């Protein structure tokens, strides 16, 4: 009733109160090479949104440095996001050194800096010490959606042991735990080497899992898919803990969409360019300067090729989308959700369908 009666603007303002995509809630950390980035959450748990160890301008961390160490402003370490995710996601706080030994060196002789954006998410957490078992459960509150999992040791205080001297045992199990637990009301956890293998011998480990429970009203979702704009739909999904999966492919590569549970429903897509950093490695400045590059038919193209399928692959090329900005190096940016089996049509989800609360996962297929 409320969705039917409220105006679009009023509804948008209401949803914005709880929206997870709003940049105002994002925190940022910037540290020069040789220092350490410190991320923390007073409430909730860390979720890294973006990261780069390199250099993208001449001003940041430039004091006392010769021009030769500042001239390369297209310095990107493409594994930066993964490194920060493995070390920090699902924690209350973390410290990561901005050094080549952690990130490797994307541009020798350039003085670099580490730039990170993250947010604090209201998630649940489970800790299972090595050699024990536990259960995570959502009960009647919905189904499990794993946000991050690690089997190893990321601090000295959790599951304490007199012989523990290492806290740098990173063995991400996010994909594995999503396969085991996502979409279930309860899930058994077994913190043992026989299940996950032994990533660090002679270290007493633990399995840490951060997850959420949610299951939006099917009727409300159906109505929103039919009547609301893409932006309002994204805000609604965030309000209810259902986050769009995201995948990005640089021009010339392909995006791959997949659903472990249910079928694909694309909710946002653009083939073009909206920032200077994505897919910019090795590209001249004039090919990344146009940040107003949009292909209006991108969503329709992706929906036609992917909606209702378990998986799909779409090339990010002009022959598929046409060229919205000649001379600009583009990328294909896609958001989608996974919907249960049912009569899924291009712009309509049947009342028998439901949406899985699948955490945001960002994958980038790069082209040089």
């Amino acid at each position: 009733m409320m969705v039917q009666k409220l105006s679009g603007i009023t509804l948008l303002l209401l949803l914005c109160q709880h929206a997870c995509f709003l940049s105002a809630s994002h925190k940022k950390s910037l540290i020069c090479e040789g220092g350490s980035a410190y991320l923390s959450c007073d409430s909730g748990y860390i979720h890294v949104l973006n990261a780069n160890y390199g250099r993208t301008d001449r001003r940041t961390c430039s004091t006392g440095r010769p021009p030769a160490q500042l001239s390369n402003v297209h310095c990107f370490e493409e594994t930066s996001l993964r490194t920060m995710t493995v070390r920090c996601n699902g924690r209350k706080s973390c410290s990561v050194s901005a050094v080549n030994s952690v990130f490797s060196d994307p541009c020798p002789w350039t003085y670099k800096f580490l730039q990170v954006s993250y947010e604090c998410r209201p998630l649940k957490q489970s800790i299972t010490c090595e050699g024990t078992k536990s259960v995570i459960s959502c009960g009647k509150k919905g189904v499990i959606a794993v946000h991050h999992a690690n089997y190893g040791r990321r601090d000295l205080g959790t599951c304490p042991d007199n012989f523990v001297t290492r806290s740098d045992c990173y063995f991400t199990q996010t994909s594995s735990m999503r396969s085991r637990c996502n979409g279930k009301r309860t899930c058994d956890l077994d913190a043992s080497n026989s299940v996950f293998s032994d990533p660090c011998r002679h270290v007493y480990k633990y399995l840490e899992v951060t997850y959420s429970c949610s299951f939006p009203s099917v009727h409300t979702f159906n109505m929103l898919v039919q009547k609301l704009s893409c932006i309002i739909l994204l805000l609604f999904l965030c309000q209810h803990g259902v986050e769009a999966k995201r995948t990005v492919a640089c021009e010339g590569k392909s995006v791959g969409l997949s659903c472990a549970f249910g079928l694909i429903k694309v909710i946002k897509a653009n083939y073009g360019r909206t920032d200077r950093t994505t897919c910019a490695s090795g590209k001249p400045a004039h090919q990344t300067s146009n940040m107003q590059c949009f292909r209006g038919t991108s969503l329709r193209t992706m929906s036609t090729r992917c909606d209702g399928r378990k998986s799909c692959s779409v090339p990010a090329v002009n022959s598929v989308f046409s060229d919205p900005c000649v001379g600009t190096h583009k990328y294909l940016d896609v958001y989608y959700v996974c919907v249960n089996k049912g009569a899924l049509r291009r712009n309509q989800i049947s009342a028998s369908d439901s949406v899985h609360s699948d955490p945001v996962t960002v994958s980038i297929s790069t082209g040089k």
Side-chain angles (χ1 to χ4, degrees), residues 166-185:
R166 287 182 56 190
S167 60
D168 60 346
C169 182
Y170 308 111
F171 192 35
T172 180
Q173 294 297 322
T174 305
S175 296
S176 173
M177 294 309 301
R178 284 175 180 169
S179 297
R180 293 168 183 263
C181 300
N182 275 16
K184 298 180 179 179
R185 293 192 180 276

Side-chain angles (χ1 to χ4, degrees), residues 51-111:
N52 183 57
Y53 176 66
R55 175 166 291 277
T56 55
D57 64 61
R58 289 185 172 87
R59 299 181 301 277
T60 304
C61 295
S62 60
T63 302
R65 297 287 166 179
Q69 294 185 2
L70 309 173
S71 61
N72 184 356
V73 294
H74 297 284
C75 177
F76 302 91
E77 175 49 61
E78 294 175 352
T79 62
S80 301
L81 178 60
R82 175 174 172 78
T83 299
M84 291 302 302
T85 295
V86 168
R87 291 171 177 255
C88 296
N89 272 16
R91 301 184 66 179
K92 285 286 190 180
S93 63
C94 70
S95 179
V96 180
S97 299
V99 293
N100 296 338
S101 59
V102 172
F103 293 92
S104 78
D105 192 347
C107 42
W109 315 116
T110 293
Y111 186 61

Side-chain angles (χ1 to χ4, degrees), residues 225-368:
V225 170
Q226 297 174 50
K227 295 187 177 182
L228 299 183
S229 69
C230 176
I231 293 176
I232 297 177
L233 175 57
L234 288 172
L235 293 172
F236 172 80
L237 293 173
C238 286
Q239 182 186 20
H240 289 272
V242 178
E243 303 164 26
K245 298 173 75 173
R246 183 190 179 198
T247 182
V248 178
C250 303
E251 183 176 354
K253 295 295 183 177
S254 297
V255 292
L257 282 59
S258 65
C259 288
F261 303 95
L263 305 173
I264 295 168
K265 174 62 181 178
V266 180
I267 57 177
K268 183 181 179 182
N270 183 58
Y271 176 66
R273 175 166 291 277
T274 58
D275 63 59
R276 285 192 173 92
T277 57
T278 303
C279 296
S281 180
K283 299 299 176 183
H286 72 273
Q287 289 188 7
T288 60
S289 60
N290 183 358
M291 298 183 293
Q292 301 296 322
C293 178
F294 301 91
R295 183 57 186 165
T297 59
S298 301
L299 177 59
R300 184 174 63 189
T301 300
M302 288 302 303
S303 295
T304 300
R305 290 172 174 253
C306 296
D307 278 7
R309 301 179 62 182
K310 294 287 292 183
S311 64
C312 69
S313 178
V314 180
V317 294
N318 296 337
S319 59
V320 172
F321 294 91
S322 78
D323 193 346
C325 42
V326 178
T328 293
H329 183 64
K330 296 165 283 293
Y331 53 87
L332 177 57
D333 195 356
V334 182
Y335 289 85
Y336 66 102
V337 291
C338 297
V339 179
N340 280 347
K341 293 180 181 178
L344 188 152
R345 301 187 180 92
R346 179 174 298 180
N347 292 312
Q348 183 177 0
I349 296 175
S350 74
S352 63
D353 295 326
S354 56
V355 178
H356 286 287
S357 176
D358 204 5
V360 168
T361 55
V362 181
S363 60
I364 301 182
S365 175
T366 60
K368 295 183 179 181

Side-chain angles (χ1 to χ4, degrees), residues 37-57:
Y38 180 73
L39 283 59
S40 67
C41 288
D42 294 329
S43 62
Y45 297 91
I46 295 169
H47 182 85
V48 179
L49 300 168
N50 204 354
N52 183 57
Y53 176 66
R55 175 166 291 277
T56 55
D57 64 61

